[in-house]
Amino acid sequence: MSIKLEDYAELLEDLTPHSREALEANWHEATKVFSPRGLDNYLKGVSAIRGLGRGDTLVETWIEQAPQVAKEVGEDVVADLATASLMLASKTSGAVIELLLASAPTAANRLGDAGLFLKYLQFINTLLAQAPRGVRPMLDKLEVLFQHLTLGGLRRWALWGAHAHRTNYEEQIRYFGLESKESLAMLQKERKGTLLVDVQRRINMYLRALWARDFFMRPTSGDFEAREGYKPYIADYLLHLPDAYDDWTVEGQEPVPGIELYRATAAHCAAHIVETRVPISAEALNPMQMAVISVIEDARVEALAIRRFPGLKQLWCRLHTATPEMGNTVGDYLNRLARALLDESYQDDDTWVAEGRALFAQAQDRLDTNQTSWEIGVQLAHSLTQKKIPFNARTDLLTAPYRDDNRYFWEFEEFDFDKAAGAGYESVKQVRKNVSVMEMINEIDVETAGDDAEEIWVLSTELFPYENIGDESNGKSFNEMEGKEPMSDPFHYSEWDYQIQLERPAWATVLEKRAKAGDLAVIDEITAKYKREIHRMKFLLDAMQPQGVQRIRKLEDGDEIDINAAIQSFTDIRLGNQPDPRIMMRSVRKTRDFSILVLLDLSESTNETVQDQEYSVRELTQQACVLLADAINKVGDPFAIHGFCSDGRHNVEYYRFKDFDQHWDETPKAKLAGMTGQLSTRMGAAIRHAGHHLKLQRSAKKLLIVITDGEPADIDVRDPQYLRYDTKKAVEEVARNGVTTYCMSLDPRADNYVSRIFGQKNFMVVDHVQRLPEKLPMLYAGLTR
C-alpha cells in the first residue's frame, strides 16, 4: 500500500477543491500517525463520507479529526468510526454526525482505550434510538461530562434522561445540555471520585520510582447498569485497572482516597509481574485449592515487595477489613487468612488461620519461587475441607478492593515466551555446555527443546549423519540441516523519553545477527554498470591519497628559514618597503587518520521501488555502497558497512556486512549482495551500537554515515516524536566519543525533521535518489578532506 496521496487520485476524484486542499494540508500529519494500511482506511473513510452528500464541512471534519483519534487510541478504530458515521446517516442530520466526529478525539483521549472507544460508539447509536434530540446537546458538553463520569456513568446518566423525558423534547434538550436541576443531580449521583485518565501519569511515575521500569496500564469499564464489576486484572502483561475509583470507606475508619486505592492496586499488580517468574499449573487442582493458593501467592509477592519497600505494608493493610466476627463461609476464612498473612498485629484465634500463618512463616527463606505457594495452598485447602463448609467460586471472593483476580499466574494454556520477553519478563538463563560426541548422539532428538531450553550443547567440530561419514565434502552436517543462525549476546541501550525528560535505562536491546551471503554476480553487475563513474572518480581519489612530507611556508614561527622569503624581505628593506616577517617554514608529514562506518537502514520500506524506476530503494542503496566501498578502499581508510532494522524495542537486528579489520574482498561483497529489507527503523539504538564499534577504533577522526529512506519508527511506538528525540539524543551521545554523524536521507520530506536530529550542516536530502551512487562517494570525499 502506498503513502503517496497521488496514488489515491481515483478514490478522491469526487472531492471539491476546498476539501482537496484540506486533505493535502493534513496529509503530512496523517502519514505520521497511520501505517500504509491505516492511510488506506482513512482515505476510504473520506470517500465514503463524501458519498453521504452532507456537504464539505462534514468531509473536512473527518479529514482533520480522524488522525487525532488514531493518535489517542490507535488506527484500528478509524474504520469503526467511519462505519458508525455511515450508520448514523439514516437516523440523524449531518450536523450531528459532524459534531460526533469533532468530539471523537475528546472521547478517545478521556477513555484512553480502543475497546472503550468502540463501546462509546455503540452507546451513541443506542442513545440516538431513544433520545435523538438529546445527542447534539450532549456532544456539545462531552468534555465536561467526561471530566466527571466514566463511560458506564455517562450511559446511566444519559439513559435516565432518555426514559424520563421520552416525549417532552424541550426538557430532553435541557437535560442533555446540563441546564436542568435533575440533570445536574444525576450527574452528581453518577460522578466518580478519581478517574484513571487523570492520575495515570502519576501512577506510572510511582511504579517506575519503585521498580525502575515501566508498566503498561489500560482502563477497563465495569457493568454499565451498576457500579459492580470493577475488578483489576493482568492480561498479556498489561495492568487493566478500573477506569474510576470512588473513595473507599469503612464504618469507623478514615476514608481511603481514590488515588491511594490506585497506588495500592497498581503496586500489587506490578509485584505479580516482577516476582512471578513462571506460571503455576492449574492441572489436577480443584476450585477451592486454586482459591487458597491464590491467597498464598498474593501474600508471597506482597511479602517480597515489602522487603524492598516497607511503606507498601501500611498502604495495603488499610484495605483489609476481615475480622474474626465475620461469618463462617469459605470466603470469610480466605479474607481472614489474607489479612493475617499481611498484618502481624491482626489477632485471629482460628486454628486454620494460625496454621496458615505458621506455614507461611516457616517458608520465609523460600519465597523466591511460587512453588512455595502451591505447597502451602494445597495443604491448607486440605485442612479447610475438614470444616465441611461448601465452597462457591462465584461468591467466596476476596473483598480487599486492590487485589486482582489472579488470572495472571495460572497456566491454563501454553506459556507464551514471546509475550513474556516483550513485557520484560525474566526468563531462565541459558547455559552453554561442551559435550562429547556420544552424549550429543544419544540426545540429538529432544522434541521439547526450543528457544527456552536451559542448556545449549556444543561440539568442538561439526557432526555429520552416519551415512555421510567419509564424505564430508558433499554431505551436510546436522548444523547445516537443522541448526539456527548464531546470535550475539544482547546489547542493552538506554532511550530518551522527551515527555518525562529522562532516560529509560536498558530500554532497547540490540542483537547482532550474521548476514546471509548472496550472489556475487550482483556486485559484479553494479561495478560494470557504474564503470564510467568509477573512472571519473579516479582523479579525485588520487588527490586524497596521503602526500608524505609537505612544507608549510610563510610562517613567523617555524623549524627552518625559508630562503626565498628571507631574500624577498631583504630586498624590501633595501627598497625602503615594509618587509614581510613570515620568513620561516615547517615540514609536516601529511597522513590520513579516519575511520568510517556506513550504517544502512534495512527496514521494510526499502523494498519499495524508486519512482519511475524498476529497481527498489534497497537495490539503489546496495549500488551506492559498492561504489563508496571501492572509493574508500582505494584511499586506504579503514571502514565498515553495517545495517539495521527493528521489531520493537526488544529486537533491534544489527548486521555487520564488513568490519574495520576485513579486506574488501569476496566475503563482505557476498554479504552485501544478500542484504534484505524488513521490519521497522529504531534508529537511536542502532546509532548507539554503531558508536560502540567506532569507539573501539584508534583513529583520530571517526565518521558515521547513516543512509535511510524515512524517519525513525517502530511498531511499539505510537508517538512519532518519541523516536526522533531519542535519535537526536543518540547522535549527541556518540558525539561525546568523538564520532561525527552525517545523514543521507532519501525522504523528500526529511528536511522537516532530519535537520533537528543531525544538525543543520550534517545532513543531505537526495531528492533524486537515482543520483545516490554518484553523490555518496563525493560526499565521502568532502567529509574526509
Side-chain angles (χ1 to χ4, degrees):
M1 296 183 181
S2 176
I3 62 171
K4 298 178 181 177
L5 185 58
E6 53 267 23
D7 293 341
Y8 295 91
E10 183 176 350
L11 185 66
L12 305 172
E13 59 186 3
D14 293 332
L15 290 183
T16 63
H18 192 271
S19 297
R20 180 77 183 195
E21 290 176 7
L23 180 58
E24 291 173 351
N26 286 273
W27 183 249
H28 184 53
E29 181 65 25
T31 57
K32 297 179 183 177
V33 178
F34 290 108
S35 67
R37 184 176 298 278
L39 287 173
D40 185 69
N41 290 332
Y42 171 59
L43 292 177
K44 285 179 179 176
V46 174
S47 178
I49 291 177
R50 173 62 185 168
L52 294 177
R54 302 292 179 92
D56 288 349
T57 307
L58 178 60
V59 178
E60 290 161 17
T61 302
W62 168 269
I63 291 172
E64 294 170 5
Q65 304 301 332
Q68 303 303 318
V69 174
K71 193 172 184 179
E72 295 292 343
V73 291
E75 68 179 28
D76 293 339
V77 303
V78 171
D80 296 284
L81 180 60
T83 302
S85 302
L86 297 177
M87 290 174 61
L88 297 179
S90 61
K91 302 178 181 179
T92 187
S93 65
V96 173
I97 300 175
E98 179 184 336
L99 194 55
L100 171 68
L101 295 177
S103 61
T106 299
N109 175 266
R110 297 299 298 181
L111 294 172
D113 179 68
L116 291 182
F117 184 79
L118 295 181
K119 290 181 180 179
Y120 164 74
L121 295 179
Q122 295 170 5
F123 154 65
I124 294 293
N125 190 39
T126 302
L127 187 61
L128 265 174
Q130 299 191 28
R133 303 203 180 188
V135 175
R136 184 168 185 171
M138 187 195 74
L139 291 176
D140 281 328
K141 300 291 185 179
L142 193 65
E143 187 168 359
V144 175
L145 290 169
F146 268 131
Q147 286 176 354
H148 303 289
L149 301 177
T150 63
L151 179 57
L154 177 66
R155 186 177 188 271
R156 290 189 294 273
W157 172 84
L159 294 184
W160 191 95
H163 293 152
H165 306 293
R166 187 181 299 275
T167 57
N168 190 337
Y169 297 131
E170 184 176 346
E171 280 299 315
Q172 191 179 105
I173 293 173
R174 292 185 69 245
Y175 180 93
F176 284 94
L178 294 177
E179 296 174 1
S180 65
K181 291 183 178 179
E182 58 187 4
S183 173
L184 296 175
M186 282 301 299
L187 178 66
Q188 187 64 30
K189 179 182 176 182
E190 295 297 338
R191 181 173 181 170
K192 301 292 285 185
T194 304
L195 301 183
L196 177 61
V197 69
D198 293 329
V199 300
Q200 185 168 353
R201 181 176 173 83
R202 293 162 65 184
I203 299 301
N204 261 323
M205 297 300 293
Y206 174 72
L207 294 182
R208 179 172 180 148
L210 292 178
W211 278 283
R213 56 167 287 185
D214 283 308
F215 296 85
F216 301 98
M217 294 183 287
R218 282 187 180 175
T220 179
S221 180
D223 181 14
F224 277 144
E225 306 301 337
R227 290 172 179 261
E228 305 298 326
Y230 290 96
K231 191 76 172 175
Y233 66 93
I234 308 170
D236 293 336
Y237 306 96
L238 296 174
L239 310 187
H240 293 261
L241 305 183
D243 52 3
Y245 266 140
D246 283 324
D247 293 349
W248 193 73
T249 57
V250 176
E251 187 176 351
Q253 295 185 14
E254 186 179 348
V256 178
I259 181 65
E260 293 297 310
L261 193 51
Y262 269 122
R263 285 199 180 100
T265 304
H268 177 79
C269 293
H272 271 305
I273 290 182
V274 172
E275 303 297 348
T276 304
R277 293 176 175 80
V278 293
I280 300 176
S281 175
E283 188 176 355
L285 294 176
N286 60 44
M288 179 185 283
Q289 289 173 326
M290 293 177 63
V292 179
I293 293 172
S294 294
V295 174
I296 305 301
E297 178 64 8
D298 283 338
R300 184 187 73 86
V301 300
E302 287 184 356
L304 292 173
I306 290 170
R307 286 181 184 177
R308 300 169 66 180
F309 316 109
L312 290 175
K313 182 176 181 179
Q314 182 181 0
L315 177 65
W316 286 328
C317 282
R318 296 174 64 190
L319 301 170
H320 284 268
T321 58
T323 62
E325 292 75 26
M326 294 176 65
N328 291 320
T329 66
V330 172
D332 294 331
Y333 277 104
L334 293 177
N335 281 290
R336 290 161 65 181
L337 177 63
R339 182 174 182 181
L341 297 181
L342 176 66
D343 184 5
E344 66 274 3
S345 64
Y346 168 67
Q347 301 294 325
D348 198 314
D349 298 327
D350 185 85
T351 56
W352 184 77
V353 174
E355 181 187 2
R357 264 182 165 168
L359 290 173
F360 194 76
Q362 294 168 9
Q364 288 300 305
D365 58 343
R366 296 185 288 115
L367 294 183
D368 57 331
T369 171
N370 54 20
Q371 180 64 25
T372 303
S373 301
W374 192 93
E375 294 170 358
I376 297 176
V378 170
Q379 184 173 343
L380 285 177
H382 177 70
S383 301
L384 188 58
T385 58
Q386 297 176 7
K387 292 181 178 289
K388 300 188 183 305
I389 304 174
F391 174 72
N392 188 328
R394 292 177 179 268
T395 59
D396 291 328
L397 303 172
L398 297 179
T399 58
Y402 72 93
R403 288 203 168 170
D404 63 296
D405 62 8
N406 286 333
R407 73 180 71 175
Y408 170 72
F409 57 77
W410 287 113
E411 184 183 45
F412 296 105
E413 57 185 6
E414 184 177 357
F415 190 66
D416 195 328
F417 283 90
D418 292 332
K419 288 182 179 178
Y425 196 62
E426 294 186 23
S427 59
V428 179
K429 186 174 181 179
Q430 290 182 333
V431 178
R432 298 181 71 83
K433 182 179 179 181
N434 292 299
V435 298
S436 66
V437 175
M438 292 309 298
E439 285 180 290
M440 180 68 77
I441 291 173
N442 289 333
E443 295 290 343
I444 197 166
D445 292 321
V446 184
E447 296 179 358
T448 58
D451 291 335
D452 58 316
E454 295 183 13
E455 291 186 0
I456 303 296
W457 286 11
V458 182
L459 279 178
S460 57
T461 59
E462 291 275 15
L463 178 63
F464 288 83
Y466 179 78
E467 57 271 16
N468 291 335
I469 293 178
D471 190 23
E472 286 83 352
S473 59
N474 295 323
K476 288 187 176 181
S477 67
F478 281 110
N479 189 50
E480 290 176 305
M481 291 188 292
E482 301 180 19
K484 294 186 177 181
E485 285 292 319
M487 190 183 302
S488 71
D489 290 334
F491 296 85
H492 301 292
Y493 294 99
S494 61
E495 276 192 355
W496 177 257
D497 189 329
Y498 77 99
Q499 291 183 326
I500 61 176
Q501 292 294 298
L502 290 173
E503 279 190 342
R504 297 177 180 269
W507 190 249
T509 302
V510 176
L511 299 171
E512 289 192 354
K513 297 187 176 182
R514 185 165 62 186
K516 295 182 179 179
D519 188 2
L520 266 176
V522 174
I523 306 300
D524 295 335
E525 289 176 7
I526 294 174
T527 305
K529 178 179 178 180
Y530 291 98
K531 188 175 181 180
R532 179 176 298 178
E533 283 80 359
I534 294 174
H535 181 74
R536 196 165 49 195
M537 284 163 29
K538 180 177 183 299
F539 299 101
L540 172 66
L541 299 176
D542 285 341
M544 294 173 60
Q545 294 282 1
Q547 300 298 315
V549 177
Q550 289 188 349
R551 287 176 175 169
I552 302 177
R553 300 178 184 273
K554 289 189 173 293
L555 299 175
E556 290 190 13
D557 182 20
D559 297 329
E560 53 185 316
I561 295 176
D562 183 350
I563 299 299
N564 293 332
I567 293 174
Q568 181 63 44
S569 295
F570 274 115
T571 303
D572 291 336
I573 292 173
R574 292 287 181 92
L575 294 175
N577 298 330
Q578 180 68 30
D580 189 343
R582 298 174 298 172
I583 61 170
M584 305 298 289
M585 66 180 182
R586 182 180 294 121
S587 297
V588 178
R589 183 175 181 82
K590 282 286 185 179
T591 58
R592 293 177 58 82
D593 195 12
F594 284 96
S595 289
I596 300 98
L597 193 152
V598 182
L599 185 61
L600 307 178
D601 173 5
L602 302 178
S603 59
E604 178 67 31
S605 58
T606 59
N607 292 322
E608 296 181 4
T609 56
V610 177
Q611 187 175 6
D612 302 327
Q613 301 294 333
E614 296 180 356
Y615 47 79
S616 66
V617 173
R618 175 186 55 79
E619 292 170 329
L620 187 66
T621 305
Q622 197 176 51
Q623 296 169 8
C625 276
V626 172
L627 267 68
L628 178 62
D630 283 341
I632 302 177
N633 190 57
K634 181 173 180 60
V635 175
D637 292 335
F639 71 99
I641 301 176
H642 296 172
F644 75 96
C645 58
S646 65
D647 187 23
R649 67 184 179 94
H650 292 290
N651 186 23
V652 181
E653 299 182 4
Y654 195 91
Y655 298 91
R656 292 158 60 176
F657 301 108
K658 182 193 176 301
D659 285 324
F660 290 102
D661 57 353
Q662 275 186 298
H663 295 292
W664 178 239
D665 53 20
E666 293 183 354
T667 301
K669 288 180 180 179
K671 290 180 181 180
L672 200 61
M675 62 185 278
T676 57
Q678 59 184 350
L679 306 177
S680 303
T681 318
R682 205 176 198 95
M683 195 178 294
I687 288 177
R688 289 181 178 92
H689 194 56
H692 160 73
H693 286 291
L694 278 167
K695 187 178 179 180
L696 301 178
Q697 301 303 304
R698 297 185 177 181
S699 305
K701 298 180 181 178
K702 300 166 186 176
L703 176 64
L704 174 62
I705 301 177
V706 181
I707 304 175
T708 179
D709 69 328
E711 61 183 314
D714 211 342
I715 58 170
D716 58 351
V717 177
R718 188 173 68 183
D719 182 357
Q721 297 293 334
Y722 174 83
L723 288 180
R724 292 184 187 176
Y725 278 97
D726 174 61
T727 305
K728 182 177 187 297
K729 196 73 174 179
V731 171
E732 295 171 355
E733 288 175 15
V734 298
R736 289 198 289 267
N737 294 322
V739 177
T740 301
T741 307
Y742 194 94
C743 178
M744 177 170 279
S745 178
L746 312 182
D747 181 5
R749 299 184 302 272
D751 306 67
N752 298 329
Y753 59 87
V754 75
S755 61
R756 294 196 296 270
I757 294 176
F758 295 94
Q760 291 291 343
K761 297 181 179 180
N762 290 341
F763 77 96
M764 174 190 295
V765 178
V766 183
D767 296 323
H768 302 287
V769 292
Q770 296 88 339
R771 299 183 60 192
L772 180 62
E774 175 186 340
K775 282 196 170 187
L776 195 53
M778 298 294 290
L779 169 66
Y780 158 71
L783 291 175
T784 58
R785 282 191 180 279

